[in-house]
Amino acid sequence: MTEHQNPLLPVVALSGGPRLIADIGATHARFALETSVGHFEHVQVLPCADYAGIVPLIKSYLSQVPNVKIQHAAFAIANPVDGDAVQMTNRDWRFSIESVRREFGLYTLLIVNDFTALAMALPQLRSNDILQIGGEAPVAKSVIGVLGPGTGLGVSGLIPTADGFVTLGSEGGHVNFAPCDEREYEVLRFAWKEWQHVSAERLISGPGIELIYRALAQFQGQPDVALSSRDIVEKAVHDQDALCMEVIEVFCGMLGSFAANLAVTLGALGGIYIGGGIVPRILSLFKQSQFRQRFEAKGRFSQYLRQIPVYVITTQIPAFYGVSAILSEHLRGKSGDNGLLDRIQQILPELTPAEKRVASLVLDNPRTVLNEAIAEIARLADVSQPTVIRFCRSLGFAGLADFKLKFASSLTGTIPVRHSQVRRSDSTHDLSAKVIDNTVSAILSFRDQLEVHAIEHALSLLRQARKIEFYAMGNARAVALDGQHKFFRFRIPTANYGDAHLFMMAAEILGPGDVVIAVSNSGKLPEIVKAAEVALKSGASVIAIAPQQSPLGKLATVCLAVNHTEDNATFLSMISRILQLLLIDILAVGLSMDNASANVVAESGRISQLLISHLDN
């Protein structure tokens, strides 16, 4: 298969050029170039076992397609995705999303769970992409459940919202397997010989079919012949081998009970959708199996399940539609109020000189652009009206009206969360206003992303601290010095080290009850990270004020995340320092409200409220 087009979707060209789309499982990886919305060309299936990692896999595909410039890519992957580092569960691959993005010179690379992508694809499936197995009509605007046995057992769901659906991230395939009859109990006992914990995925999957075959063969006294799941399926469907057919019957029954559990857990009146590579291959047997009977066998809730339809997804590339939708939404800036303005800043180098003038007008005069017609926008930017349209399409929008709709939602409130570059031609008034606006906007964004539980954890450590030491280097030393000054006022022994040799020596003599506050703009300085490791080994706790996904942030006992991006290698860090100082202030106010701290202050003849201006009288 080299091309696929969904006729339900309009043909809308992608102004940023073709997008690289992939569905990467543990066994096979499917790739395509999306050249217009829902139009996939050069679809290829590659065996994952032939490649040592994701980079050579992508290189292999790109070497077989036309030499086109790809700026945006999105991959569905059969694995949980949490942060930048990915360690695949069913394949010995590990990689950094950011490193892969840079390797291929991509502007955007999204990695999402494969069943999140599958769930996002459901609204775009056509009637001939699915086959209904029992049940009635789905209830409109209701929860939808998704599952799919393949190399593993994926689980997800769609939750209805006012303007569509949101996906449910889940690892539901790893719940305990529950047998429903004596035969399944014997299969479970057989599995217990290999694993102490037997999840549903161990049996309701490709490897599970192989395990069921071995178990049933042993029970029936047949030779212990190892067959692959593919061979078992082929023999069941074509050769009508009795044992293989029984294996598929047991598999379908287990799948029916698991699907029913998912339906009642989610209240999935919108239906249950079954994806994955196994069920479409056994469809003739599946339709005649005990699947639907087991799906409805829920005692008092049998009638509830009887009305819920089950659909088998028969199209070969359902995840492509979901990945495409997720990437499109990301490029439109739906991930956050400041996404669109940030996106405009980021694509400036890629725009033509005329398009850059439109971008500058949007960034400097957002309300004007929102309120004016295309002719006036073109006049103010000194460009043609088609240039305004091209600018909108470079961001993934169909035109100006589509752009304005999203742009309006990003400008709610009195202060848009954005960054305005100071120009050499700016007056003192303008540069002052921009510096203040940039800082205020960053603070508002920081406030919305603040992790309260992390602050509570940090405060609990500080309230019990015997001693607090601050480790920082470079520009961050000013923040550490401010923290030492404030915390010493609470009569807590404090120290501040800005030299790598000194704070390494200091970390070695710490002990339980001591706390290190390590401040770093990047969270990557080897000296800071090493000192934090030594402090933890000594029994002390480490509070990191650093980016969440940095080495220091991941290592620390608790991370107070400052994820504001600044080019520290080229420019002096400014806004990050303000955010770090705010965290110090939050901790100081939190300590001052603690009864123990207040008592210490009172004994010294001072009143805690005089020390902290944020507190009332």
Side-chain angles (χ1 to χ4, degrees):
M1 177 171 55
T2 60
E3 185 172 328
H4 194 282
Q5 171 70 47
N6 188 338
L8 297 180
L9 298 175
V11 178
V12 178
L14 302 174
S15 60
R19 297 172 182 174
L20 179 60
I21 302 295
D23 177 15
I24 303 174
T27 306
H28 295 99
R30 291 174 172 82
F31 284 90
L33 294 181
E34 185 181 19
T35 54
S36 64
V37 177
H39 186 188
F40 305 104
E41 297 182 0
H42 306 288
V43 178
Q44 293 190 21
V45 181
L46 303 178
C48 294
D50 291 352
Y51 303 94
I54 193 170
V55 170
L57 175 71
I58 299 170
K59 286 183 177 179
S60 176
Y61 172 75
L62 293 178
S63 68
Q64 303 173 54
V65 299
N67 185 20
V68 295
K69 174 62 177 176
I70 297 174
Q71 297 181 352
H72 309 295
F75 304 156
I77 188 168
N79 210 75
V81 179
D82 181 19
D84 179 69
V86 176
Q87 168 73 63
M88 291 191 68
T89 304
N90 293 314
R91 181 153 294 281
D92 187 23
W93 288 359
R94 63 178 65 190
F95 60 91
S96 158
I97 298 173
E98 177 62 15
S99 296
V100 174
R101 185 191 69 79
R102 292 181 179 179
E103 173 74 24
F104 293 96
L106 299 170
Y107 178 78
T108 305
L109 174 60
L110 300 183
I111 305 289
V112 300
N113 176 263
D114 58 340
F115 269 79
T116 298
L118 182 61
M120 284 292 289
L122 298 185
Q124 302 177 54
L125 295 180
R126 300 162 291 171
S127 59
N128 61 344
D129 289 330
I130 56 177
L131 174 68
Q132 184 169 349
I133 306 293
E136 302 172 6
V139 178
K141 297 183 179 179
S142 295
V143 175
I144 296 172
V146 191
L147 69 155
T151 305
L153 177 60
V155 176
S156 186
L158 280 178
I159 313 299
T161 64
D163 58 353
F165 289 92
V166 295
T167 58
L168 173 69
S170 171
E171 288 299 320
H174 296 284
V175 301
N176 289 1
F177 172 75
C180 293
D181 57 33
E182 289 293 332
R183 184 170 54 181
E184 289 182 5
Y185 178 67
E186 292 301 325
V187 172
L188 177 60
R189 289 184 60 190
F190 183 87
W192 275 334
K193 295 177 182 179
E194 296 190 32
W195 303 289
Q196 183 177 3
H197 170 255
V198 178
S199 66
E201 181 178 88
R202 291 291 191 188
L203 298 173
I204 309 173
S205 62
I209 288 177
E210 298 170 7
L211 188 146
I212 295 170
Y213 179 87
R214 290 166 45 215
L216 295 183
Q218 184 186 83
F219 302 155
Q220 298 176 14
Q222 297 194 24
D224 186 11
V225 178
L227 283 182
S228 69
S229 60
R230 179 178 294 275
D231 290 339
I232 295 168
V233 167
E234 288 296 317
K235 285 179 175 293
V237 174
H238 299 295
D239 298 342
Q240 300 294 300
D241 179 273
L243 178 57
C244 291
M245 291 180 70
E246 184 180 1
V247 169
I248 297 304
E249 179 68 14
V250 171
F251 171 85
C252 292
M254 292 176 174
L255 182 58
S257 295
F258 184 83
N261 289 340
L262 179 63
V264 295
T265 299
L266 295 180
L269 298 178
I272 294 290
Y273 286 75
I274 299 177
I278 295 176
V279 175
R281 288 165 49 206
I282 60 171
L283 205 51
S284 59
L285 297 177
F286 184 78
K287 290 187 289 186
Q288 303 170 16
S289 75
Q290 61 176 331
F291 169 84
R292 187 71 206 191
Q293 178 186 346
R294 287 281 293 272
F295 181 80
E296 297 177 5
K298 265 288 184 281
R300 292 172 295 167
F301 263 70
S302 293
Q303 182 58 42
Y304 178 86
L305 285 157
R306 205 163 289 141
Q307 65 181 317
I308 296 178
V310 175
Y311 303 95
V312 176
I313 301 171
T314 55
T315 181
Q316 297 182 25
I317 58 166
F320 281 5
Y321 296 121
V323 172
S324 169
I326 292 169
L327 178 57
S328 179
E329 288 194 1
H330 175 83
L331 294 179
R332 286 170 179 250
K334 289 186 177 180
S335 58
D337 284 347
N338 63 336
L340 184 51
L341 287 162
D342 287 346
R343 168 87 173 112
I344 294 170
Q345 285 281 1
Q346 292 165 348
I347 69 167
L348 278 174
E350 305 169 20
L351 300 178
T352 65
E355 290 170 347
K356 285 181 179 178
R357 290 199 291 275
V358 181
S360 297
L361 179 66
V362 172
L363 293 171
D364 294 340
N365 302 278
R367 300 289 178 184
T368 299
V369 172
L370 188 61
N371 296 324
E372 295 294 346
I374 186 171
E376 181 62 11
I377 294 172
R379 188 190 69 79
L380 292 171
D382 193 23
V383 299
S384 67
Q385 293 185 27
T387 299
V388 177
I389 300 300
R390 285 197 300 272
F391 165 78
C392 295
R393 287 180 175 172
S394 70
L395 292 161
F397 296 92
L400 181 61
D402 194 19
F403 169 79
K404 282 187 175 182
L405 185 63
K406 173 56 189 173
F407 197 38
S409 67
S410 72
L411 294 180
T412 54
T414 57
I415 303 175
V417 180
R418 65 190 183 98
H419 180 90
S420 299
Q421 195 69 33
V422 176
R423 297 183 173 85
R424 296 185 185 277
S425 60
D426 283 342
S427 66
T428 304
H429 177 273
D430 288 341
L431 75 86
S432 301
K434 286 184 176 181
V435 169
I436 294 172
D437 285 350
N438 291 343
T439 305
V440 170
S441 297
I443 291 172
L444 292 176
S445 178
F446 178 67
R447 178 197 62 186
D448 294 339
Q449 299 171 18
L450 207 58
E451 184 58 60
V452 176
H453 295 299
I455 292 174
E456 290 176 344
H457 188 184
L459 283 170
S460 68
L461 295 175
L462 294 173
R463 285 169 180 147
Q464 303 171 38
R466 299 185 312 165
K467 177 172 59 177
I468 301 174
E469 294 189 346
F470 290 85
Y471 298 169
M473 299 180 70
N475 191 49
R477 289 191 65 182
V479 179
L481 185 62
D482 181 70
Q484 183 201 17
H485 171 75
K486 287 186 169 73
F487 290 4
F488 185 71
R489 298 285 293 271
F490 295 121
R491 300 302 188 265
I492 302 173
T494 60
N496 180 21
Y497 299 102
D499 177 89
H501 180 66
L502 289 178
F503 55 59
M504 189 67 70
M505 293 176 59
E508 292 174 350
I509 59 175
L510 294 175
D514 296 333
V515 177
V516 169
I517 298 180
V519 187
S520 175
N521 295 326
S522 69
K524 298 178 181 179
L525 289 175
E527 299 88 347
I528 295 280
V529 175
K530 182 62 178 176
E533 289 178 347
V534 172
L536 289 169
K537 288 180 182 179
S538 300
S541 300
V542 175
I543 298 172
I545 299 180
Q548 183 77 50
Q549 296 301 322
S550 65
L552 179 60
K554 293 178 179 179
L555 175 69
T557 310
V558 57
C559 178
L560 305 183
V562 176
N563 296 319
H564 184 80
T565 303
E566 289 182 284
D567 184 0
N568 300 321
T570 308
F571 303 105
L572 180 65
S573 175
M574 301 182 75
I575 293 178
S576 294
R577 181 198 57 195
I578 300 297
L579 302 181
Q580 292 163 355
L581 288 168
L582 278 173
L583 282 173
I584 294 293
D585 285 355
I586 291 169
L587 295 178
V589 174
L591 279 178
S592 72
M593 295 174 66
D594 183 70
N595 289 335
S597 296
N599 290 339
V600 170
V601 173
E603 289 172 6
S604 68
R606 297 178 181 270
I607 302 173
S608 61
Q609 282 87 340
L610 296 180
L611 298 177
I612 303 296
S613 61
H614 287 285
L615 295 179
D616 59 27
N617 293 321

